[in-house]
Amino acid sequence: MTKIRCVVERITYQNPENGYSVLKVHIKGYDGLVPVVGNLLDANVGSVIIAEGNWKVDGKYGRQFLAEKWEETLPATVYGMEKYLGSGLVKGVGPKFAKRIVQRFGVDTFTVIEDDIQLLIQVEGIGKKRIRQIAESWQRQKEVKNIMLFLQEHDVSTAFAAKIYKQYGSESIEKVRENPYRLADDIWGIGFKKAPGIAQKLGFGKESYVRLRSGLMYTLSELADDGHVYAGQGQLLEKAAGLLESEPEYIVMTMDQMLKEKDLACEEMPEERAVYLPPFYYAEIGVANNLRKLAKAPAADRLWVQLMQAREKTGNRELSVDVGRIQQIVHMEYDEAQAGAIRLAASAKVMVLTGGPGTGKTTTTQGIIAAFRAYGLKVLLAAPTGRAAKRLSETAGMKAETIHRLLGCRPPEGYQKNEKNPLEGDVLVVDECSMIDIILMNALLRAVPESMRLLLVGDTDQLPAVGAGNVLRDIIASGVFPVVRLTRIFRQAQTSRIIMNAHRVNEGKMPDISNGKTADFFFMECESADAAAAKIVELVKDKLPGYYHIKPETIQVLTPMQRGPAGAAGLNLALQEALNPSGDGLRRSGYVFRCGDKVMQIKNNYDKEVFNGDIGMIQSVSIHDRELAVNFDGRMVKYDVTELDELLHAYATTIHKSQGSEYPAVVMPVLMSHFGMLQRNLIYTGITRAKKLLVMVGDRKALAYAVGNVTVTKRNTLLKERLSGERDSRV
């Protein structure tokens, strides 16, 4: 094998899925830039790498160096130092200051920064504040490098070094040595499977308690990610055994010990034990208890008192508000089902309003809110996502907030609103409730005082929450609370093929795909994933903007899957190349984030107040400071380069991630290559995201299969049983 030392000049290609990269590097003694290929995902522009491998001649690209092993090191030449400092790796130093620093100190540059950084004051334009910034960044880089070296020795990708450092700081190596499996619990993005390499080399045996404990926690977390609130003991042991490759008796012993130490919770069932991670157990019990308590307690508002007094006086238990008066207030005419919903809401403590598109759910919600406000009640409005909250606000003509913001989420303390500091108001209206998981619903109900009313609005035919549980469906199925289900499709809505096709799909019928000039729903035949991807790029870039005069950024591509040419990852790369191919950008995990890119937050970040599924546009990119700013519906949020794995490009996104959002125009591939995800509620959810235009690209066979497939994976939850009293909800 040959060893080369080189400076990374630019990165021409990276595949984030497998790490394959093509770098253009400068090697002393070689003319021009030399291509280096291999798994070089974490290499940075400006860094010096020592690579081991072999030279090869590619028929298409010519002579290349194929790197099999590599490590990063500090440059030793003036040229390399300037390149390194100017790359943005060190905060406070861009190309301009890098040039000045290296001109002043030459080959001693790094020695000065390391040993006597105050000398940088001699460089024009550098003051004490910038020196402090450079010093902090340099120290951080040094410590991260040490962690990288430590991790490389233990066969773990350097991509996680910055994250580990962020979590543990200077104690990183010590913490990892102590218990490498804690990485799976503490560091987002590091699963259990990435820890064994370290553990093995640090002497942790296959049957060690910390390994088996971490494996069981990881298995339950994975099941929670699939929507399960608990795991059946048999299900848990089978899945954990496959992961841990350990004798079953050791896993059972570990589980029993964890139950004894209350690291796990369980509930005996007729068939087998239900095993919970404690937060899910207490959340499920909390939701059941708080909802039942809330429904039984009387309201304290003026409308409730007046109604109860009037019913008592007249003996008419059906007495309620005058819907005719409400119609005058909102300038709307309601049918009998809608009027019934308004009258019921006036006397209900907890109520559910559900229905599909075009059934008047929004206008009925509007009428209920108007009825409450007409009697002087203070109404609070909330929804799970920023976009859903914004839509609710526009509907109601008053402020609506995300649930997180309503509860005053303030990490690390948690939610400011709870049973000790409850919400203040008479009524809480929550929209898009199908998206709410068991953990969030518990946090919300803890903050609702017993005197407050609760109206839950949502469409149970949509996909369930991304998190664990099937809360809205369970509440309805319990039969404990009044539910109004709107089914009539209004005449105005009947002119929309989007709405009519959504209902057809929901009923198990093929949608109308006859197209037509005046239609708002189109189907474009396309059998292969590659052809579909090319067609989608053409539609988003040229065809739809040209014909409908809409901006490409308002068109949302929704796809059933993440992987494949017509999956979200592949489509994002293709759409970025078509719509925003050039300009300065920050690289992370093989992706380039440029100014003007559409991006999505993919984890809840309470510090930044951005949440899983929020979509924004990158407003600015600073190579100098290695950070960018994203505009989320008018609110600017900054990201350091190490935080960019919280973002994904969102030119295309999965249908799951689109819940709670609506878009003027939607393009949606439906192909047999999406076979594993083709389900009726998925297609229904995708269709209902489009407001004005929907274009499906795919083949009829795949669409027919999806419409006919109602085998939705059952979620393990006992909420329905706890609400109906079939199961004890005492802790």
Side-chain angles (χ1 to χ4, degrees):
M1 282 213 296
T2 307
K3 188 180 282 188
I4 61 166
R5 180 187 175 98
C6 54
V7 179
V8 181
E9 294 284 341
R10 63 175 186 264
I11 299 165
T12 56
Y13 174 78
Q14 282 188 322
N15 183 327
E17 291 189 13
N18 59 21
Y20 181 79
S21 307
V22 180
L23 314 180
K24 292 294 179 71
V25 306
H26 177 76
I27 305 174
K28 193 176 178 181
Y30 286 76
D31 292 331
L33 296 180
V34 177
V36 175
V37 301
N39 192 334
L40 299 142
L41 192 59
D42 304 309
N44 295 291
V45 172
S47 62
V48 175
I49 62 170
I50 296 169
E52 285 185 59
N54 295 291
W55 290 98
K56 68 165 191 174
V57 177
D58 184 274
K60 188 174 178 182
Y61 299 106
R63 194 167 187 246
Q64 302 174 327
F65 188 82
L66 180 61
E68 292 182 19
K69 287 169 61 182
W70 67 282
E71 63 180 80
E72 198 171 352
T73 185
L74 286 174
T77 64
V78 168
Y79 171 83
M81 288 176 179
E82 185 182 325
K83 193 77 183 171
Y84 182 85
L85 284 176
S87 68
L89 280 169
V90 182
K91 274 196 174 182
V93 184
K96 182 177 73 175
F97 283 118
K99 193 175 185 69
R100 289 179 188 175
I101 292 168
V102 174
Q103 277 180 345
R104 172 67 185 82
F105 299 109
V107 292
D108 297 326
T109 294
F110 289 165
T111 307
V112 167
I113 295 172
E114 186 75 43
D115 301 331
D116 202 355
I117 198 165
Q118 297 307 322
L119 289 176
L120 292 185
I121 201 80
Q122 299 173 13
V123 178
E124 185 192 345
I126 294 183
K128 288 181 180 178
K129 186 180 173 184
R130 191 175 294 274
I131 288 174
R132 196 162 55 249
Q133 192 183 16
I134 294 169
E136 287 170 3
S137 182
W138 185 263
Q139 184 59 28
R140 185 176 172 278
Q141 282 293 325
K142 221 169 75 176
E143 289 180 350
V144 169
K145 287 253 185 295
N146 288 337
I147 298 164
M148 281 182 177
L149 288 169
F150 172 76
L151 291 175
Q152 280 180 343
E153 285 169 18
H154 297 85
D155 303 323
V156 174
S157 164
T158 58
F160 296 110
K163 280 189 174 185
I164 294 168
Y165 178 78
K166 198 171 183 179
Q167 179 75 20
Y168 305 132
S170 55
E171 296 178 333
S172 295
I173 293 175
E174 184 189 327
K175 295 271 190 192
V176 173
R177 283 188 190 278
E178 186 186 302
N179 178 8
Y181 293 103
R182 71 187 299 159
L183 295 176
D185 302 331
D186 296 347
I187 314 290
W188 185 78
I190 299 182
F192 175 82
K193 293 174 184 177
K194 292 188 174 77
I198 304 179
Q200 201 175 351
K201 290 200 174 182
L202 290 175
F204 288 85
K206 207 172 180 182
E207 312 295 355
S208 67
Y209 179 75
V210 291
R211 178 177 182 270
L212 298 178
R213 180 188 177 278
S214 185
L216 281 165
M217 299 282 276
Y218 174 79
T219 302
L220 281 167
S221 296
E222 287 276 283
L223 288 165
D225 288 344
D226 291 336
H228 300 296
V229 179
Y230 70 86
Q233 183 170 311
Q235 177 191 22
L236 173 61
L237 293 176
E238 185 184 345
K239 201 168 168 75
L243 172 76
L244 292 162
E245 297 175 347
S246 182
E247 294 298 322
E249 58 264 32
Y250 289 114
I251 300 174
V252 172
M253 281 165 57
T254 304
M255 184 184 70
D256 289 342
Q257 184 63 29
M258 290 172 76
L259 285 165
K260 197 182 289 182
E261 292 175 3
K262 297 194 178 343
D263 287 335
L264 297 176
C266 82
E267 188 145 329
E268 298 298 333
M269 294 171 66
E271 310 83 34
E272 60 175 350
R273 274 198 295 195
V275 184
Y276 292 78
L277 288 170
F280 295 98
Y281 179 71
Y282 294 113
E284 191 174 79
I285 286 173
V287 169
N289 288 342
N290 285 322
L291 268 177
R292 291 173 72 182
K293 245 189 306 183
L294 188 64
K296 284 176 185 171
D301 59 75
R302 182 178 144 201
L303 175 57
W304 177 278
V305 172
Q306 286 183 7
L307 265 181
M308 296 306 122
Q309 286 174 347
R311 287 179 174 189
E312 190 72 32
K313 194 175 175 180
T314 62
N316 181 1
R317 309 309 298 174
E318 301 301 314
L319 201 64
S320 191
V321 294
D322 179 2
V323 175
R325 185 184 163 200
I326 306 303
Q327 290 182 152
Q328 288 173 352
I329 294 171
V330 296
H331 308 292
M332 197 75 67
E333 200 170 313
Y334 296 109
D335 71 1
E336 191 43 47
Q338 292 176 302
I342 295 169
R343 283 193 286 268
L344 182 59
S347 60
K349 267 305 295 304
V350 177
M351 179 178 136
V352 177
L353 177 66
T354 185
T359 58
K361 188 165 74 255
T362 299
T363 53
T364 306
T365 305
Q366 198 179 4
I368 293 170
I369 293 167
F372 287 140
R373 295 182 75 187
Y375 282 86
L377 274 63
K378 183 182 177 184
V379 181
L380 305 178
L381 305 180
T385 66
R387 291 201 163 198
K390 192 177 178 185
R391 231 175 40 250
L392 179 59
S393 181
E394 289 163 357
T395 299
M398 56 182 288
K399 183 185 175 189
E401 296 182 287
T402 63
I403 295 171
H404 295 93
R405 192 164 287 183
L406 179 77
L407 297 178
C409 185
R410 214 178 285 158
E413 307 100 82
Y415 295 113
Q416 303 305 297
K417 294 291 181 183
N418 48 41
E419 51 273 271
K420 292 178 183 173
N421 180 28
L423 296 167
E424 293 173 14
D426 300 305
V427 186
L428 173 62
V429 178
V430 189
D431 200 7
E432 295 286 357
C433 288
S434 63
M435 295 179 66
I436 303 177
D437 61 36
I438 196 74
I439 298 288
L440 185 58
M441 182 58 88
N442 184 46
L444 180 64
L445 291 172
R446 283 179 62 199
V448 176
E450 285 187 20
S451 60
M452 186 178 272
R453 299 165 184 256
L454 178 64
L455 173 64
L456 302 173
V457 184
D459 182 355
T460 54
D461 293 319
Q462 287 190 33
L463 290 165
V466 173
N470 212 340
V471 177
L472 185 62
R473 192 177 283 273
D474 283 348
I475 291 170
I476 294 170
S478 72
V480 176
F481 312 98
V483 176
V484 176
R485 190 183 292 273
L486 302 173
T487 55
R488 179 191 162 207
I489 304 170
F490 283 85
R491 190 178 296 167
Q492 191 181 352
Q494 290 177 16
T495 62
S496 166
R497 204 176 284 182
I498 291 172
I499 289 173
M500 297 310 292
N501 277 341
H503 285 278
R504 286 183 67 85
V505 167
N506 204 29
E507 292 161 8
K509 299 172 184 170
M510 273 290 281
D512 178 356
I513 54 174
S514 59
N515 298 339
K517 280 189 178 180
T518 59
D520 59 0
F521 187 112
F522 295 89
F523 188 88
M524 303 189 76
E525 198 81 39
C526 219
E527 289 187 9
S528 88
D530 288 316
K535 177 59 69 178
I536 289 166
V537 171
E538 185 188 14
L539 284 165
V540 175
K541 187 182 179 197
D542 300 314
K543 295 283 187 185
L544 298 182
Y547 193 81
Y548 291 97
H549 308 292
I550 51 179
K551 293 177 179 176
E553 58 266 28
T554 65
I555 303 167
Q556 187 59 52
V557 178
L558 300 179
T559 177
M561 293 184 75
Q562 188 65 31
R563 294 178 180 272
L571 286 169
N572 270 316
L573 288 169
L575 286 162
Q576 186 192 35
E577 182 60 32
L579 300 172
N580 195 24
S582 59
D584 286 340
L586 293 177
R587 245 174 223 279
R588 183 73 173 171
S589 302
Y591 296 105
V592 184
F593 294 90
R594 298 190 183 101
C595 188
D597 276 340
K598 188 195 285 190
V599 291
M600 175 183 279
Q601 177 76 16
I602 58 168
K603 68 166 285 201
N604 290 338
N605 188 318
Y606 301 102
D607 289 321
K608 298 183 189 294
E609 287 189 45
V610 284
F611 304 101
N612 191 358
D614 287 354
I615 287 180
M617 298 288 290
I618 298 178
Q619 201 75 21
S620 63
V621 175
S622 172
I623 303 296
H624 183 277
D625 294 325
R626 299 189 79 211
E627 64 181 28
L628 53 78
V630 182
N631 183 347
F632 290 103
D633 289 323
R635 202 168 66 84
M636 301 301 291
V637 179
K638 286 189 174 179
Y639 290 81
D640 181 81
V641 71
T642 62
E643 300 170 315
L644 293 184
D645 49 4
E646 293 186 18
L647 295 176
L648 278 181
H649 289 96
Y651 297 101
T653 183
T654 62
I655 296 169
H656 279 88
K657 289 284 190 186
S658 72
Q659 287 172 268
S661 297
E662 281 186 348
Y663 312 97
V666 167
V667 178
M668 188 164 74
V670 182
L671 298 149
M672 286 312 292
S673 58
H674 299 145
F675 181 81
M677 296 299 295
L678 294 179
Q679 293 167 348
R680 186 184 297 173
N681 64 349
L682 185 97
I683 300 299
Y684 172 78
T685 302
I687 293 172
T688 57
R689 301 306 89 203
K691 282 166 70 177
K692 295 177 181 175
L693 179 69
L694 185 133
V695 184
M696 266 190 193
V697 180
D699 64 86
R700 294 165 193 254
K701 188 169 77 171
L703 181 57
Y705 175 81
V707 171
N709 183 17
V710 287
T711 55
V712 180
T713 308
K714 184 183 176 295
R715 296 186 164 201
N716 293 341
T717 159
L718 291 174
L719 180 60
K720 176 175 91 67
E721 289 78 5
R722 295 190 194 280
L723 286 168
S724 62
E726 293 171 43
R727 184 158 289 278
D728 192 7
S729 288
R730 288 174 296 183
V731 177

